[in-house]
Amino acid sequence: MEEISKSENPEEQSGNNSENKGGDAPVPDGGTAPQPVKPKKKFSFKYWLLSAILPVLSSGIIRALAIHIFTTPNKFAPGGTNGIAVLLEEATGWNSGIFLLILSVPLFFVAFFCLGKKEAVLSTMSFVVSSGVLMLLPLIPGMPQYGGDGEIVHGIFGAVAGGIFLGVALAIMIKSCGTSGGTTILASVINKKFRNISVSMFTAVFDAVVVVASIFVYGWGKSFTDAIDPVLLALVSLFVTSKMCDVILQGFKVAYKFEIVTTHPDEIAAEIMKKTNHSVTKVEAEGMYSHEGKSMLVCIIRKRQIAVIQRIIRKYPDTFAYFTPASEVFGRFTK
């Protein structure tokens, strides 16, 4: 009987065989069907090269160039791990790349166990590249260094240029691995204990400690003016670094978003579109205090067009509006 049933239902038998090729047993009545196994993602060397290796190498090289060409000769510490290495070079005469490498070892283990494997590996690789380049640059004949002649003007220009380079390196690191490494790792770990204080605040404290310490390294035994110069240069460098990093991360297509609550949506929208050449989106709204039906207009404009919108809104006294920065605008947004 068993052989007859197999021969009488060849299609059913072949169907069962095809369903069981993956090793799943037939699903009984009332059971749950097995979930399909998702295919594993194949390792892509090209993706890993573009998203991790090249950013890490470029950030490390740019950081080393900033320290060697602009920071070290002008005798100021830019803050963070870089600043600690520069101060130790000034105090001992050893290359800052050696100290940067030494500082990277404990930070790697802290990041590995407290933050994540990817962040630890990539950030440490970047600092290792920087330390290696810093040790090689003095061996290159004719390698230029800017400043170092004691002129405050050259020091300021060196701080600005160094801040630009360090800001680029910082932005590349944040984009590639989500962390800038260095003292930011310690700040992230401390933030897990003290959640009410942000990581940026802890990082600023570490930077301030390094900047204040530069007084004792560069200004010991000097007049107040000469002792405070490294601090001022460090503050200039930190400011430029922060601004440069923000520009790269937020993008150059910075715009402003206006939200206008009004009972004259058609008139205002028509005038905005005519004078700014930007479209307007209307959303129906209700005032929860008066329960009156109103409309909210949303538009994205350039910074230079803020005054145009304000002049339009002033014609309608019963209109409420506010605007906020909108970074990295995507889509069809004309200048």
Side-chain angles (χ1 to χ4, degrees):
M1 292 294 292
E2 184 178 355
E3 294 179 356
I4 295 175
S5 63
K6 288 182 180 179
S7 61
E8 289 178 352
N9 299 283
E11 295 180 1
E12 181 179 352
Q13 182 180 354
S14 61
N16 291 334
N17 291 336
S18 63
E19 291 177 359
N20 292 334
K21 286 181 180 180
D24 293 330
V27 181
D29 294 340
T32 303
Q35 297 296 326
V37 179
K38 294 183 179 180
K40 294 183 179 180
K41 293 183 179 180
K42 294 183 179 179
F43 174 78
S44 175
F45 177 76
K46 182 179 180 181
Y47 173 79
W48 181 252
L49 177 67
L50 296 177
S51 64
I53 298 179
L54 287 182
V56 164
L57 292 176
S58 59
S59 65
I61 294 173
I62 294 172
R63 183 189 299 111
L65 291 174
I67 294 174
H68 180 78
I69 298 176
F70 300 108
T71 300
T72 303
N74 290 290
K75 297 186 179 301
F76 69 90
T81 309
N82 302 321
I84 297 174
V86 171
L87 290 180
L88 291 173
E89 177 180 1
E90 180 68 19
T92 63
W94 294 5
N95 190 286
S96 58
I98 299 174
F99 297 107
L100 200 61
L101 183 62
I102 295 173
L103 293 171
S104 298
V105 175
L107 291 175
F108 168 77
F109 289 103
V110 173
F112 188 87
F113 292 106
C114 298
L115 298 181
K117 297 179 181 178
K118 178 183 176 182
E119 292 81 358
V121 172
L122 294 181
S123 61
T124 304
M125 284 177 58
S126 178
F127 279 96
V128 170
V129 171
S130 294
S131 64
V133 175
L134 282 171
M135 287 185 281
L136 289 175
L137 287 176
L139 304 178
I140 300 177
M143 188 65 194
Q145 286 186 304
Y146 180 83
D149 51 6
E151 292 290 337
I152 188 62
V153 175
H154 290 166
I156 293 175
F157 287 156
V160 172
I164 292 174
F165 275 71
L166 291 174
V168 173
L170 178 62
I172 293 174
M173 280 298 299
I174 294 176
K175 274 183 171 291
S176 61
C177 64
T179 179
S180 60
T183 53
T184 306
I185 296 174
L186 297 178
S188 301
V189 174
I190 297 175
N191 174 254
K192 292 183 177 182
K193 181 68 176 178
F194 303 96
R195 292 290 186 179
N196 56 326
I197 304 178
S198 64
V199 174
S200 59
M201 181 62 69
F202 283 118
T203 305
V205 171
F206 288 131
D207 291 338
V209 171
V210 174
V211 171
V212 172
S214 65
I215 298 177
F216 303 97
V217 176
Y218 294 115
W220 188 260
K222 297 182 180 180
S223 64
F224 175 77
T225 301
D226 294 334
I228 207 69
D229 281 346
V231 176
L232 299 178
L233 294 177
L235 293 177
V236 171
S237 178
L238 288 172
F239 177 80
V240 175
T241 299
S242 175
K243 291 301 179 182
M244 190 66 192
C245 180
D246 290 342
V247 167
I248 296 176
L249 293 179
Q250 295 176 2
F252 292 93
K253 296 175 65 176
V254 179
Y256 286 83
K257 180 179 73 170
F258 260 90
E259 292 187 352
I260 307 167
V261 180
T262 180
T263 55
H264 310 279
D266 296 332
E267 297 90 333
I268 295 177
E271 198 166 351
I272 290 175
M273 289 187 289
K274 179 180 179 181
K275 294 185 177 180
T276 66
N277 197 30
H278 288 294
S279 181
V280 180
T281 301
K282 183 175 75 171
V283 180
E284 296 300 331
E286 179 184 353
M288 297 306 295
Y289 180 78
S290 61
H291 294 284
E292 294 180 358
K294 297 183 179 182
S295 298
M296 183 173 69
L297 303 178
V298 181
C299 61
I300 307 295
I301 61 169
R302 286 294 181 190
K303 183 178 181 179
R304 63 177 180 270
Q305 298 171 323
I306 292 177
V308 177
I309 302 294
Q310 290 175 335
R311 285 194 294 268
I312 295 173
I313 296 173
R314 290 193 187 101
K315 301 178 183 178
Y316 306 91
D318 57 341
T319 297
F320 171 79
Y322 68 93
F323 64 94
T324 57
S327 302
E328 193 60 31
V329 180
F330 295 93
R332 299 178 61 184
F333 180 70
T334 58
K335 296 183 179 181

